[in-house]
Structure formats: structure tokens, C-alpha cells
């Protein structure tokens, strides 16, 4: 299995998996995100303990890419500091926008690097960016 197939499998698994798609009863941060291009909508919910993100979840509807990107993002930021999550959002956004990103920076993204090829599908870029831009706005 090559890297493209692995990345595709991560995206498929997360678009089907509903583990991160629920309300957090004790969330201290809730932020809506909307992609007017295709109608994707999320509400990102974070539970923090000072500077650390201890839990993340989302609700909403959208295409497989927006839902998978949000799910992967939730998995990726849990246990990270707000500063680390903000840095990851910056790296991810630059990656999707085809801006310069080092291999060392890409490693920080974990499974979120699976969305690197979305940059070749202009109609899906906003879908892949929705959750990360929402995160960037609330931190």
C-alpha cells in the first residue's frame, strides 16, 4: 500500500467514523464554522484545562472531506497546548494552500497530513480548511 492509499484510507475511515461527532457536555469553548461554497457547517467544541486541550468534538453536517478533516483535527489536538494547536492549524492551512511547509512541520500534523493532496482539488480546499480555520479563530 503506497502513501496515497494510506492517506485515502485515513480520510475514508474518519468520514465514516462518528467517534468525534457529538456534543461535549462540559465544553468551555464552542465555535461555529461555515463554508458558504458548499454548505458545510460545524460547531467545534473544546474542553480545556488551562492551556491544554483535554477533549475536542464537533457537530454539524457537510461533505466527507469536511467531516473527516474535522474528525482528524479533533484526534490530533487532544492533549496539545493551545499554542501547539495554533501552530498545527497554521502548518495545516499553509499545507493546503500550497505554501512552504517543511518536512519537520508536516510531522507535527500526524494523520492530518493525509489531506495534503486536497491542494490538487481546488473545489475541496475550503472543505478541508473549515475546521482548522475555525480552530485558528478560537485560539
Amino acid at each position: 500500500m503506497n502513501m496515497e492509499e494510506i492517506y485515502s484510507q485515513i480520510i475514508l475511515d474518519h468520514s465514516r467514523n462518528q467517534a468525534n461527532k457529538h456534543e461535549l457536555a462540559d465544553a468551555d469553548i464552542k465555535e461555529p464554522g461555515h463554508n458558504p461554497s458548499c454548505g458545510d457547517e460545524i460547531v467545534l467544541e473544546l474542553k480545556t484545562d488551562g492551556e491544554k486541550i483535554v477533549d475536542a468534538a464537533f457537530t454539524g453536517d457537510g461533505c466527507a472531506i469536511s467531516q473527516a478533516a474535522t474528525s482528524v483535527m479533533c484526534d490530533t489536538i487532544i492533549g496539545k497546548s493551545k499554542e501547539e494547536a495554533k501552530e498545527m492549524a497554521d502548518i495545516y492551512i499553509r499545507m493546503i494552500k500550497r505554501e512552504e511547509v517543511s518536512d519537520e512541520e508536516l510531522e507535527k500534523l500526524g494523520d492530518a497530513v493525509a489531506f495534503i493532496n486536497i491542494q490538487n482539488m481546488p473545489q475541496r480546499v475550503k472543505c478541508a480548511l473549515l475546521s482548522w480555520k475555525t480552530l485558528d479563530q478560537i485560539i
Side-chain angles (χ1 to χ4, degrees), residues 39-53:
D40 297 332
E41 292 186 353
I42 63 163
V43 175
L44 179 60
E45 300 184 19
L46 303 178
K47 172 67 179 159
T48 61
D49 180 12
E51 284 300 307
K52 186 176 180 180
I53 298 169

Side-chain angles (χ1 to χ4, degrees), residues 29-43:
I29 299 172
K30 288 186 179 186
E31 184 70 24
H34 178 69
N35 175 3
S37 298
C38 66
D40 297 332
E41 292 186 353
I42 63 163
V43 175

Side-chain angles (χ1 to χ4, degrees), residues 4 16 19 32 37-38 50 54 98 101-102 119 122 125 135-136:
E4 227 174 272
R16 293 177 182 151
S37 298
C38 66
V54 295
R98 294 181 183 229
V101 180
S102 71
Q119 61 187 231
V125 166
L135 175 68
D136 191 49

Side-chain angles (χ1 to χ4, degrees), residues 18-25 43-45 55-60:
Q18 300 293 307
N20 293 321
K21 191 172 182 179
H22 59 88
E23 290 185 20
L24 286 180
V43 175
L44 179 60
E45 300 184 19
D55 204 357
F58 73 101
T59 56

Side-chain angles (χ1 to χ4, degrees), residues 8-19 64 67-68 71:
S8 293
Q9 192 59 49
I10 290 169
I11 293 169
L12 280 172
D13 289 348
H14 276 272
S15 71
R16 293 177 182 151
N17 180 353
Q18 300 293 307
Q67 300 296 285
S71 179

Side-chain angles (χ1 to χ4, degrees), residues 1 31 36 39 74 89 100 102 116-117 124 128 132 135 138:
M1 186 177 275
E31 184 70 24
C74 288
E100 189 171 325
S102 71
I116 195 165
N117 288 326
R124 291 291 174 226
W132 289 91
L135 175 68
I138 62 176

Side-chain angles (χ1 to χ4, degrees), residues 60-112:
D61 293 302
C63 70
I65 296 296
S66 73
Q67 300 296 285
T70 307
S71 179
V72 169
M73 184 197 71
C74 288
D75 279 350
T76 304
I77 64 171
I78 293 172
K80 303 287 192 271
S81 70
K82 290 178 185 176
E83 184 177 316
E84 288 172 310
K86 180 124 177 111
E87 178 187 14
M88 293 168 72
D90 175 65
I91 294 166
Y92 181 90
I93 291 166
R94 286 188 290 121
M95 174 188 77
I96 297 297
K97 290 183 169 184
R98 294 181 183 229
E99 295 174 6
E100 189 171 325
V101 180
S102 71
D103 289 342
E104 182 180 280
E105 288 177 311
L106 289 176
E107 285 181 27
K108 293 179 181 182
L109 294 180
D111 281 351

